[in-house]
Amino acid sequence: MTSYPWRAGTATGIGSYPGDDPAEALRVVLGELPELPHLPELPARGPGADLTGRTAGLLIDMPVRVEPSGWRFADRPGRDTMRARDHLARDLDALEEVAGGHDGPFKIQVCGPWTLAATIELRHGDRALKDPGAVRDLAASLAEGVAAHVADVRRRLPAAEILLQLDEPGLPAALAGTVPTASGFSRLRAIEEPVAQEALRGVIDAVGAYTVVHCCARNVPYGLLRGAGAHAVSVDLALVPERDDDAVGEAIDAGTALFLGAVPAADAALPSLRATGEPVRELWRRLGFPAARLAEQVVITPACGMAGASPRYVRDALKRCRDTARMLYEAAA
């Protein structure tokens, strides 16, 4: 039987939150998600606090800058790279101050290589995804930078087990060949699955942490992610169609954990607790797995990041995730 770093009946968040105070966001996370808290991301602070810029600040010898079209590789580190690193340094200082004694699992998030390659432009303006050599360099730089980042977090939380989440919302589009060129007039050539898997595996292997790959898009490549070494796959439950049942079932059967986004990520009227949990139960019943495994192998999350939500709703949604996970555990006990 596969063992997981969290207790049965656990919930967590995806990553982003509203506001600009890292210590306050962290206190909310620790209060509402004590079993599996994570490091909040606060993109409202501007460039360098966003998904791409935050992770680009971790890259080794690949500085970036902000252009009107978005992030672009630069010749040398400048103001934008420094800003990204400064945001993260403040977040990590707050983490050490507020959560330094945490002694359970703790999750951090970075952008994965394929989404990064689809959102950073080369110096002449095309997306890095267009150039296989640039993608290889980017993946290697990311692997080295993220390994150092994880080591830093481990020093700051010495009693915790660090989980790494790789955010790959852009991976299905890269595989399908639907990522637009910088001009927007055409599409970049599709990435072959073995190539995509190898780049992901390089990052996962370099870090050596329990790794979750988050993909809040349609057509999640479950088999590819397992082949790359992902221990868990995080998805928006509303975007899991029945046609994915075989792939999802194979992942569960192999022991891969599922982080299921069962609570809306933006302000919404929440249904009853039972109604929130029913799609999770329905998926599990449909796939035919023992009810007792659900609470061990499934972690309940919001559907995606919550940067666009109100602070009040964030608390309500995180509490609903926690209550749903607990209900599913008690029902199977």
Side-chain angles (χ1 to χ4, degrees):
M1 182 70 185
T2 304
S3 62
Y4 302 98
W6 52 82
R7 283 190 251 179
T10 286
T12 192
I14 295 299
S16 63
Y17 289 96
D20 58 9
D21 183 339
E24 173 58 23
L26 195 51
R27 280 190 282 268
V28 171
V29 169
L30 289 165
E32 300 296 341
L33 302 169
E35 304 288 349
L36 180 49
H38 65 97
L39 182 63
E41 300 161 357
L42 305 174
R45 292 178 294 181
D50 59 296
L51 177 63
T52 297
R54 183 179 179 85
T55 302
L58 296 172
L59 295 174
I60 306 298
D61 297 328
M62 295 187 82
V64 292
R65 67 176 189 269
V66 177
E67 295 286 332
S69 57
W71 288 96
R72 182 176 291 187
F73 287 117
D75 292 325
R76 62 187 63 83
R79 180 183 58 192
D80 297 322
T81 297
M82 294 299 108
R83 187 189 296 123
R85 292 174 180 168
D86 186 51
H87 282 317
L88 184 58
R90 275 203 289 267
D91 291 350
L92 293 177
D93 287 345
L95 173 66
E96 190 169 7
E97 179 182 340
V98 176
H102 181 72
D103 62 355
F106 189 94
K107 180 169 71 71
I108 61 174
Q109 306 82 218
V110 301
C111 189
W114 293 105
T115 300
L116 212 56
T119 51
I120 301 181
E121 296 177 354
L122 301 169
R123 289 179 182 84
H124 56 74
D126 281 317
R127 296 180 194 273
L129 189 64
K130 183 178 181 180
D131 183 337
V135 172
R136 283 193 296 271
D137 291 345
L138 174 60
S141 174
L142 179 66
E144 186 178 352
V146 173
H149 176 46
V150 170
D152 186 13
V153 175
R154 282 175 173 150
R155 282 194 295 273
R156 294 169 185 264
L157 301 184
E161 178 178 356
I162 305 304
L163 280 61
L164 173 69
Q165 176 178 303
L166 291 175
D167 288 314
E168 281 287 16
L171 178 57
L175 293 169
T178 58
V179 177
T181 58
S183 69
F185 291 122
S186 59
R187 299 288 179 266
L188 296 177
R189 189 177 60 193
I191 303 300
E192 295 178 359
E193 287 210 6
V195 175
Q197 181 172 303
E198 182 182 3
L200 271 171
R201 177 170 278 285
V203 177
I204 291 170
D205 287 351
V207 173
Y210 189 98
T211 302
V212 184
V213 178
H214 171 64
C215 187
C216 55
R218 298 185 188 277
N219 303 315
V220 175
Y222 295 93
L224 185 159
L225 299 180
R226 285 195 296 119
H231 302 92
V233 179
S234 172
V235 297
D236 178 349
L237 184 54
L239 300 181
V240 181
E242 289 194 25
R243 70 169 183 271
D244 282 358
D245 278 4
D246 287 348
V248 176
E250 288 170 6
I252 294 170
D253 202 41
T256 304
L258 290 181
F259 284 42
L260 295 181
V263 176
D267 289 35
L270 294 175
S272 69
L273 181 59
R274 177 171 289 277
T276 302
E278 188 53 35
V280 181
R281 292 188 213 255
E282 168 57 26
L283 174 67
W284 209 256
R285 279 196 299 262
R286 211 166 68 217
L287 297 173
F289 288 98
R293 279 179 63 180
L294 192 162
E296 297 175 355
Q297 202 161 347
V298 169
V299 173
I300 302 299
T301 73
C304 201
M306 303 188 74
S310 65
R312 181 187 178 97
Y313 178 76
V314 167
R315 289 179 184 269
D316 290 345
L318 297 185
K319 181 178 186 301
R320 175 55 60 87
C321 289
R322 189 178 80 238
D323 290 347
T324 302
R326 174 58 49 181
M327 177 189 70
L328 293 170
Y329 170 65
E330 291 174 351

